[in-house]
């Protein structure tokens, strides 16, 4: 087949986000907030070398959430016992 | 037993009826026995698309109500001897007939045909469900508009939750000139986005727009695209029409600038 993969325009990415939101039955802001929070949480424990890759899919009544995080260093700290 | 394929879409007006009639004619011209069923009870236009609207005596309503035998309601196409149409003039969208009623009616004639193509209404209401549940395979017709793609995703997810063996897409009214200029959604993008296989691409074509039930010119690009789709339906393999082809090269760029100025 002779088709090239068109470079995805900003508009097309908007549509991709919208469809992802439709599939999950969430609001547009959910994904953005979720991604920011996950990044913040992991940053507490590791020095991230890249942004986390988060994929959210829905299979019938179950959500499958997978998070891939790459880090340069795991932070070392002790937990106080009081 | 006939393969029963429903043509559906989320958004209306994307070309389901046009494609059912032209793919039906092409399959029939390739020696397949084909029945086209109008399951769009509210906006039935399959008879019009094939130019047989004045030949309707009995229709699906009469068949389901027991007023006639199913074969009495068939209308033979003007051009293809292997093609028949089962119209639905007297039915309304809120008719109480179910998919099971239609399936049972079709079962009796399923052996007489190789293909039964079902024209579905747009949307995801009862009419859509009734049409889809009559079939074993589904084709979701889309165009490049974002509304059509978004609606198609919902339709695909609903169909996948039914007992349907196969779902594929036809990108209709594809604008090769826009794709070349980086605006149109490419076939590859569409496949990725909707996570669904692509059965074919049909270009935006004046030959289809001005058809009025007549026979599609063999010289048209739409005819070529429809032949390629039929080949894929029959063999499960084959290429997909590339609408950008005629806009490539020196003459292609002239065509492109002419089309854009319209
Ligand atoms: N590839 C094409 N190129 C140009 N015109 C087309 C093409 N496909 C369909 N059309 C035109 O688009 C219009 C709508 O097509 P059609 O009635 O087949 O859509 P539909 O999906 O069946 O609509 P509905 O949802 O109302 O049933 C018609 O005027 C038809 O001629
Ligand atoms: Mg229609």
């Amino acid at each position: 087949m002779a088709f090239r993969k068109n470079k995805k325009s900003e508009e097309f990415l908007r549509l991709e986000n919208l469809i992802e939101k439709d599939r999950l039955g969430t609001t547009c802001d959910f994904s953005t907030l979720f991604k920011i929070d996950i990044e913040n949480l992991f940053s507490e424990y590791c020095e991230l070398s890249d942004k986390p890759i988060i994929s959210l899919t829905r299979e019938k009544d179950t959500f499958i959430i997978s998070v891939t995080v790459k880090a340069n260093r795991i932070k070392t700290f002790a937990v106080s016992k009081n | 037993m006939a393969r029963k394929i429903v043509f559906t879409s989320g958004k209306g007006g994307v070309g389901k009826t046009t494609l059912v009639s032209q793919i039906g004619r092409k399959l029939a011209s390739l020696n397949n026995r084909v029945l086209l069923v109008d399951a769009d009870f509210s906006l039935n236009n399959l008879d019009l698309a094939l130019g047989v609207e004045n030949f309707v005596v009995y229709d699906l309503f009469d068949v389901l109500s027991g007023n006639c035998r199913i074969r009495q309601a068939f209308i033979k196409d003007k051009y293809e001897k292997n093609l028949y149409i089962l119209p639905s003039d007297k039915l309304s969208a809120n008719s109480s007939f179910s998919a099971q009623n239609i399936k049972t009616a079709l079962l009796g004639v399923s052996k007489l045909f190789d293909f039964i193509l079902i024209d579905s209404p747009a949307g995801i209401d009862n009419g859509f469900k009734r049409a889809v549940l009559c079939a074993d395979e589904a084709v979701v017709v889309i165009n490049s508009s974002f509304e059509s793609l978004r609606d198609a995703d919902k339709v695909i997810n609903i169909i996948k939750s039914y007992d349907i063996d196969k779902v594929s897409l036809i990108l209709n009214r594809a604008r090769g000139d826009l794709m070349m200029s980086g605006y149109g959604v490419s076939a590859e993008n569409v496949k990725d986005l909707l996570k669904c296989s692509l059965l074919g691409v049909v270009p935006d074509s004046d030959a289809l727009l001005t058809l009025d039930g007549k026979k599609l010119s063999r010289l048209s690009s739409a005819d070529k695209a429809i032949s390629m789709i039929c080949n894929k339906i029959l063999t499960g393999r084959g290429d997909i029409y590339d609408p950008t082809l005629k806009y490539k090269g020196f003459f292609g760029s002239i065509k492109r600038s002419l089309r854009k100025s319209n």
Side-chain angles (χ1 to χ4, degrees), chain B residues 58-70 72 90:
Chain B
Y58 293 117
D59 78 341
L60 191 55
F61 171 80
D62 295 308
V63 176
L64 299 175
S65 314
N67 299 341
C68 71
R69 301 209 355 249
I70 188 165
Q72 288 177 283
K90 300 170 196 160

Side-chain angles (χ1 to χ4, degrees), chain B residues 44-218:
Chain B
N44 57 299
N45 279 319
L46 195 57
D47 50 355
L48 193 61
L50 289 151
V52 296
E53 68 279 8
N54 292 328
F55 302 105
V56 181
V57 180
Y58 293 117
D59 78 341
L60 191 55
F61 171 80
D62 295 308
V63 176
L64 299 175
S65 314
N67 299 341
C68 71
R69 301 209 355 249
I70 188 165
R71 287 197 222 184
Q72 288 177 283
F74 290 168
I75 306 170
K76 199 172 180 161
D77 182 45
K78 290 194 273 193
Y79 301 101
E80 295 300 336
K81 64 179 188 337
N82 288 326
L83 180 66
Y84 293 84
I85 300 125
L86 178 54
S88 69
D89 272 25
K90 300 170 196 160
L91 284 156
S92 70
N94 44 17
S95 145
S96 59
F97 294 112
S98 67
Q100 196 51 48
N101 295 141
I102 304 174
K103 259 178 129 168
T104 311
L106 293 177
L107 199 65
V109 290
S110 191
K111 280 195 291 269
L112 304 177
F113 296 99
D114 300 302
F115 289 96
I116 297 180
L117 307 186
I118 301 161
D119 187 17
S120 147
I124 45 174
D125 297 338
N126 284 342
F128 151 81
K129 283 187 191 149
R130 182 167 44 213
V132 171
L133 290 174
C134 292
D136 320 307
E137 299 171 45
V139 172
V140 178
V141 181
I142 50 173
N143 58 34
S144 330
S145 82
F146 282 8
E147 298 92 323
S148 136
L149 295 168
R150 183 189 189 188
D151 294 351
D153 189 68
K154 292 181 184 157
V155 164
I156 292 166
N157 286 325
I158 296 174
I159 297 174
K160 282 183 178 165
S161 71
Y162 296 158
D163 194 15
I164 299 279
D165 301 336
K166 211 163 118 185
V167 191
S168 52
L169 297 164
I170 294 182
L171 175 60
N172 189 30
R173 306 200 73 159
R175 290 276 306 269
D177 56 328
L178 288 183
M179 285 182 184
M180 284 291 287
S181 316
Y183 288 110
V185 184
S186 78
E188 284 299 322
N189 281 165
V190 163
K191 245 171 45 178
D192 278 1
L193 184 73
L194 300 178
K195 300 185 176 33
C196 195
S197 67
L198 194 67
L199 181 62
V201 174
V202 179
D204 191 49
S205 138
D206 290 351
L208 277 176
L209 191 61
T210 56
L211 207 54
D212 281 337
K214 293 189 290 294
K215 203 174 162 82
L216 182 61
S217 161
R218 290 213 159 215

